[in-house]
Amino acid sequence: MIEDKNPQRTSLEELGEFGLIEHLTQNFELQQASSIKGIGDDAAILDFNGKKTVVSTDMLVEGVHFDLSYMPLKHLGYKSVMVNLSDIYAMNAMATQVTVSIAVSNRFPLEALEEFYAGVALACKLYHVDLVGGDTTSSTKGMLISVTALGIAEENDIVYRNGAKANDLLVVTGDLGGAYLGLQVLEREKEVFKVNPENQPDLEPYSYIVERQLKPEARKDIVELLKKLEVKPTSMIDISDGLSSEILHLCKQSDVGCNLFEDKIPLDPTVISTSEEFQMDSTMIALGGGEDYELLFTIDQSDFPKIKANPNLTVIGHMTGKSEGAHLVTRAETKIPLTAQGWNSFNG
Amino acid sequence: MIEDKNPQRTSLEELGEFGLIEHLTQNFELQQASSIKGIGDDAAILDFNGKKTVVSTDMLVEGVHFDLSYMPLKHLGYKSVMVNLSDIYAMNAMATQVTVSIAVSNRFPLEALEEFYAGVALACKLYHVDLVGGDTTSSTKGMLISVTALGIAEENDIVYRNGAKANDLLVVTGDLGGAYLGLQVLEREKEVFKVNPENQPDLEPYSYIVERQLKPEARKDIVELLKKLEVKPTSMIDISDGLSSEILHLCKQSDVGCNLFEDKIPLDPTVISTSEEFQMDSTMIALGGGEDYELLFTIDQSDFPKIKANPNLTVIGHMTGKSEGAHLVTRAETKIPLTAQGWNSFNG
């Protein structure tokens, strides 16, 4: 919301399509031994030495998935990569390469795309992935981003969504609901800003949840941790659409039911206090919020001793037979059927 | 231009995001042994047995790359895949998988997306590639498609853009300019239709070039042919942006010059007659037109006997030292410097 009113502006037409991708990607260095050839030919060349290749792709649309009035472009570049790496980690695989394509209307100057790619570059550097391809083109309206991520894994390490069994423990990483509440705070400040552009928002009390929204981190560390702990989940998924929706995916694909315990859902103090401020129920936010990019997985009960002391991992329930269905067990010990409250982009 | 005014319409909101991708991809069967896991988890799993993996990605934007007033959605689905496969073949590799992501505004009913995916399915079937992932989301305006294609090749077979040497022969497949002229015909008919919607256009005389525009084919057959002829090009690129622009890419990346002979450029009779009708120069159209998705490559002169009898392949020039520059040698035997007349999406 605080922006330079006279930034340097170079129109995209001055560079042309070929110059543009060259310009935007000139400082990207290949970090992965599997990246044989990156940008600059018809296609990138990768070499995974016989390991399995893992591929995931996601699209982000301005006005649907992000709002540039409070999402800095560098953060958007970073988040676009994170969203895709998260899917690779959710297979218990290591991300190795990304392709990033972007369509922008001519209201975006070159400097805006440079900011976006600076975020992509930072994500690539911190997560050790290589940018190996992409496309830049014009759109008739707004900005649209498509990222494809590639990764590798040993066949035996790969974790699908369909391996959960009755009595497995349901485990979640980190804490939930922050990204959604961060978005509510940003939306509120945007409305205030519209009424009074001189007003400087104080986001300090909300810094944790605003960062969860604007600059999420994919849980590469969890894949490494699970390997170190010698735990192979029986099923795994990343939480992009809300806990409830992801649990139902695991249940459906694994043909099992689930009991989720309300009092076990990990919440940051900021999430609890901000929920109260917005007069929202923090459990509903964790169940339906989405965009936390934490990992949700199931493990055999015999693996519990290996994970129980870890502050990154919280057991929030257990799987049951399919006929028992999927339920939330509330603090009052009543059972409520879980429904997908996941964010649905077509209801936007 | 001929459309059913009362087609069946199912709104996308009725299905929701998860139901939608499941619905649209339910009839896709995996055909490639390297496709271990397709759609339905966080990521697809591929296994290339130690061969090199080739990756390419492209975006197509309504109003920039296609016009739905004359581009049937099934053709668009087909073409979206072709555009990407073409990049894989241009590496002398075989395409094996694609991911297809699509953003659409709520003006599109489910049946429109089904048509689009029918085209994707046909392309996958005919070219033996597997759809292994994708994303469907809403857009605030229009339709936007992003495709990533994967392929495999033996390391020794891969052909880059940078291997051309002075005295190599410059070879092109098929004929050029048709896709661009097909677009001109379609644009003209659209204008006629605007003035008089009762007018039924007679596209019969233009069927070849209209098909080149609406339903291009990627030259998988050429990769197979080159293997059979035991010819490995020294450099290769696909013609998406016009012959001139692609030649300059090869010259720049290979650090060589080039003489292109005007009288050798392969043109279909329809291209010649339609050029005259539009009072355009057919050479300029071949040089700048784009979207033909033919392959342009260079070979060592010693390989000439192997290719000379083949009707699919035309020698159109030869490479020179870099200092000689890149020139068109006209029918009148004057030399004109080649300039990139390639279609530039930011000038749209």
Side-chain angles (χ1 to χ4, degrees):
Chain A
M1 276 167 274
I2 304 147
E3 57 174 307
D4 180 358
K5 296 294 181 194
N6 295 299
Q8 191 191 345
R9 289 180 66 93
T10 309
S11 96
L12 296 180
E13 285 157 37
E14 289 171 41
L15 271 160
E17 194 184 4
F18 306 122
L20 184 58
I21 192 77
E22 218 170 79
H23 174 84
L24 294 172
T25 59
Q26 62 192 348
N27 294 320
F28 282 77
E29 277 171 29
L30 299 182
Q31 307 170 81
Q32 289 281 348
S34 54
S35 303
I36 309 297
K37 167 90 184 178
I39 288 167
D41 215 301
D42 297 290
I45 308 293
L46 314 177
D47 177 10
F48 291 111
N49 281 318
K51 287 188 180 183
K52 297 291 174 278
T53 313
V54 184
V55 186
S56 176
T57 193
D58 263 307
M59 231 179 205
L60 289 97
V61 182
E62 184 183 356
V64 178
H65 300 95
F66 59 89
D67 182 334
L68 289 174
S69 63
Y70 47 72
M71 176 58 109
L73 281 160
K74 188 173 174 183
H75 287 58
L76 182 62
Y78 192 88
K79 184 170 177 174
S80 302
V81 176
M82 283 309 121
V83 168
N84 279 273
L85 298 191
S86 183
D87 281 323
I88 303 292
Y89 301 138
M91 305 303 290
N92 204 30
M94 274 291 141
T96 46
Q97 288 91 8
V98 288
T99 67
V100 176
S101 294
I102 183 165
V104 284
S105 70
N106 55 15
R107 84 169 205 262
F108 292 89
L110 173 62
E111 288 72 18
L113 295 197
E114 287 174 341
E115 273 296 296
F116 175 84
Y117 271 85
V120 170
L122 183 62
C124 287
K125 191 177 167 207
L126 294 180
Y127 284 76
H128 289 279
V129 302
D130 291 335
L131 178 74
V132 296
D135 195 9
T136 54
T137 186
S138 59
S139 77
T140 51
K141 188 184 170 197
M143 178 182 268
L144 203 143
I145 302 146
S146 179
V147 178
T148 296
L150 296 112
I152 48 167
E154 296 290 348
E155 181 165 15
N156 285 335
D157 288 338
I158 296 173
V159 175
Y160 296 96
R161 292 180 182 174
N162 62 6
K165 300 177 303 294
N167 301 318
D168 280 357
L169 298 176
L170 183 66
V171 185
V172 73
T173 65
D175 53 71
L176 300 176
Y180 176 81
L181 274 177
L183 181 63
Q184 303 314 307
V185 168
L186 289 164
E187 291 279 1
R188 182 177 67 182
E189 295 307 324
K190 183 183 173 184
E191 293 308 312
V192 171
F193 180 79
K194 275 187 195 163
V195 176
N196 179 7
E198 299 301 312
N199 185 63
Q200 286 292 326
D202 180 16
L203 293 176
E204 178 60 30
Y206 311 103
S207 59
Y208 176 70
I209 57 176
V210 166
E211 186 160 331
R212 293 285 284 174
Q213 169 61 223
L214 297 182
K215 193 168 171 287
E217 303 290 344
R219 300 306 306 256
K220 180 188 184 186
D221 59 326
I222 298 296
V223 177
E224 292 164 340
L225 175 68
L226 290 171
K227 202 166 189 73
K228 210 179 88 188
L229 296 175
E230 295 179 353
V231 172
K232 183 185 171 186
T234 52
S235 70
M236 184 150 63
I237 191 168
D238 74 320
I239 302 184
S240 51
D241 297 317
L243 179 61
S244 180
S245 158
E246 312 303 359
I247 288 176
L248 292 174
H249 278 301
L250 292 186
C251 286
K252 185 183 173 194
Q253 296 201 29
S254 297
D255 231 21
V256 292
C258 176
N259 285 324
L260 166 69
F261 296 93
E262 183 180 18
D263 62 347
K264 302 292 186 196
I265 299 172
L267 302 172
D268 186 82
T270 318
V271 168
I272 295 168
S273 61
T274 313
S275 295
E276 285 168 7
E277 189 186 328
F278 278 82
Q279 295 182 291
M280 296 168 95
D281 182 77
S282 57
T283 301
M284 287 307 296
I285 286 168
L287 286 175
E291 292 203 278
D292 288 316
Y293 300 107
E294 296 294 342
L295 294 173
L296 176 73
F297 57 90
T298 53
I299 59 168
D300 191 276
Q301 289 206 8
S302 65
D303 280 331
F304 178 63
K306 298 181 191 166
I307 69 144
K308 69 174 176 183
N310 199 293
N312 285 297
L313 307 176
T314 309
V315 177
I316 55 174
H318 60 84
M319 310 319 270
T320 64
K322 188 186 181 184
S323 60
E324 295 179 49
H327 290 91
L328 175 73
V329 181
T330 67
R331 289 191 186 86
E333 291 191 9
T334 55
K335 284 178 91 168
I336 304 173
L338 279 179
T339 54
Q341 307 276 345
W343 167 87
N344 183 328
S345 74
F346 285 106
N347 292 337
Chain B
M1 274 168 277
I2 305 145
E3 57 175 308
D4 181 356
K5 296 292 180 193
N6 295 300
Q8 191 192 346
R9 289 178 67 92
T10 307
S11 97
L12 296 181
E13 284 157 40
E14 289 170 42
L15 272 161
E17 192 184 5
F18 306 122
L20 184 57
I21 191 77
E22 217 170 80
H23 174 85
L24 293 172
T25 59
Q26 62 193 347
N27 293 321
F28 283 76
E29 277 171 29
L30 299 182
Q31 308 171 79
Q32 289 281 346
S34 53
S35 303
I36 309 298
K37 167 91 186 180
I39 288 168
D41 214 302
D42 297 290
I45 308 291
L46 315 176
D47 178 10
F48 291 112
N49 280 319
K51 287 187 179 184
K52 296 291 175 280
T53 314
V54 184
V55 185
S56 177
T57 192
D58 262 307
M59 230 178 206
L60 289 99
V61 182
E62 183 182 358
V64 178
H65 301 97
F66 59 89
D67 183 334
L68 289 174
S69 64
Y70 49 71
M71 173 60 106
L73 281 159
K74 187 173 176 183
H75 287 58
L76 182 62
Y78 193 88
K79 184 169 177 175
S80 301
V81 176
M82 284 308 124
V83 167
N84 279 272
L85 298 190
S86 182
D87 281 322
I88 302 292
Y89 301 138
M91 304 302 290
N92 204 33
M94 274 293 142
T96 47
Q97 288 90 7
V98 287
T99 67
V100 177
S101 295
I102 183 165
V104 284
S105 70
N106 55 16
R107 84 169 205 262
F108 293 89
L110 173 62
E111 288 70 19
L113 295 198
E114 286 174 341
E115 273 297 295
F116 175 86
Y117 271 86
V120 171
L122 183 63
C124 286
K125 189 177 169 206
L126 294 179
Y127 284 76
H128 290 278
V129 300
D130 290 334
L131 178 72
V132 294
D135 194 10
T136 55
T137 186
S138 59
S139 78
T140 51
K141 190 185 168 194
M143 178 183 266
L144 203 142
I145 302 146
S146 179
V147 178
T148 297
L150 295 112
I152 48 168
E154 297 288 349
E155 181 164 14
N156 285 336
D157 288 339
I158 296 173
V159 175
Y160 295 97
R161 293 179 181 174
N162 63 6
K165 300 176 304 295
N167 301 317
D168 281 356
L169 298 176
L170 182 66
V171 185
V172 73
T173 65
D175 54 70
L176 299 176
Y180 176 83
L181 274 177
L183 181 63
Q184 304 314 308
V185 169
L186 290 165
E187 291 278 1
R188 182 177 67 184
E189 295 308 323
K190 182 184 173 183
E191 293 308 312
V192 172
F193 180 78
K194 276 187 197 165
V195 176
N196 180 7
E198 299 301 311
N199 186 62
Q200 286 293 327
D202 179 16
L203 294 176
E204 178 60 31
Y206 310 104
S207 59
Y208 176 70
I209 58 176
V210 166
E211 186 160 332
R212 293 285 282 173
Q213 170 59 223
L214 297 183
K215 193 167 173 289
E217 303 290 344
R219 301 307 304 257
K220 178 187 184 185
D221 60 324
I222 298 297
V223 177
E224 293 165 340
L225 175 68
L226 290 171
K227 202 165 189 73
K228 209 178 91 186
L229 296 175
E230 294 179 354
V231 173
K232 182 185 170 185
T234 52
S235 70
M236 184 150 64
I237 191 168
D238 74 320
I239 303 183
S240 51
D241 297 315
L243 180 61
S244 180
S245 159
E246 312 302 358
I247 289 176
L248 292 174
H249 277 301
L250 293 186
C251 286
K252 185 184 171 192
Q253 296 201 29
S254 298
D255 231 22
V256 293
C258 175
N259 284 323
L260 165 70
F261 295 94
E262 183 179 17
D263 62 348
K264 302 292 186 197
I265 297 172
L267 301 172
D268 185 84
T270 318
V271 167
I272 295 168
S273 62
T274 313
S275 296
E276 284 168 6
E277 188 185 330
F278 278 81
Q279 294 182 293
M280 296 168 97
D281 182 77
S282 58
T283 300
M284 286 308 294
I285 285 168
L287 287 176
E291 292 201 279
D292 287 317
Y293 301 104
E294 296 294 342
L295 293 173
L296 176 73
F297 58 90
T298 54
I299 59 169
D300 192 275
Q301 289 206 6
S302 63
D303 281 330
F304 177 65
K306 300 180 192 168
I307 68 146
K308 70 176 176 184
N310 198 292
N312 286 297
L313 307 176
T314 310
V315 176
I316 55 175
H318 60 82
M319 310 319 269
T320 65
K322 187 187 181 182
S323 60
E324 294 179 48
H327 290 90
L328 175 74
V329 181
T330 67
R331 290 191 185 85
E333 290 191 12
T334 54
K335 283 177 93 169
I336 304 173
L338 279 179
T339 54
Q341 308 275 344
W343 169 87
N344 183 329
S345 74
F346 286 106
N347 292 337

